Amino acid sequence: MKKTVLMAAIAANLFTANVFAQKIKGSDTCLPITQTLAENFMNENKGARVTVTGGGSGVGISALMEGTTDIAMSSRKIKFDEKVRL
């Protein structure tokens, strides 16, 4: 259920964000589903480009904090030290 909500939120963000390039990075658990959603989105929106990469939840959260990704995928709760850094 949580993954479905997460994927719906990602899809809604991509659809409503009036941009042509989007970077998503993080959880390897979420990666296959997110890649499929990104491919479907790009097929329906020919001008859109979505890059999806894995590396782990921590990588996604760190990339979001560094400003090198637009969306962080995480299959775990955010850690206390990550909250503090944010």
Side-chain angles (χ1 to χ4, degrees):
M1 179 66 176
K2 288 181 183 179
K3 287 182 185 176
T4 303
V5 172
L6 173 65
M7 293 304 121
I10 290 171
N13 185 29
L14 290 175
F15 184 71
T16 58
N18 210 4
V19 296
F20 296 101
Q22 197 78 30
K23 292 178 275 185
I24 304 173
K25 189 180 284 191
S27 172
D28 292 323
T29 304
C30 300
L31 186 63
I33 297 169
T34 308
Q35 284 176 325
T36 301
L37 285 171
E39 289 171 12
N40 292 341
F41 180 80
M42 288 186 292
N43 287 335
E44 293 175 9
N45 300 276
K46 297 299 180 188
R49 289 290 156 242
V50 181
T51 305
V52 181
T53 56
S57 298
V59 169
I61 293 168
S62 292
L64 187 64
M65 288 189 277
E66 294 166 1
T68 59
T69 193
D70 301 306
I71 298 172
M73 299 182 291
S74 180
S75 57
R76 62 167 173 80
K77 290 183 178 182
I78 190 167
K79 295 177 181 176
F80 179 77
D81 64 317
E82 294 167 336
K83 284 182 187 180
V84 170
R85 290 190 320 208
L86 282 170

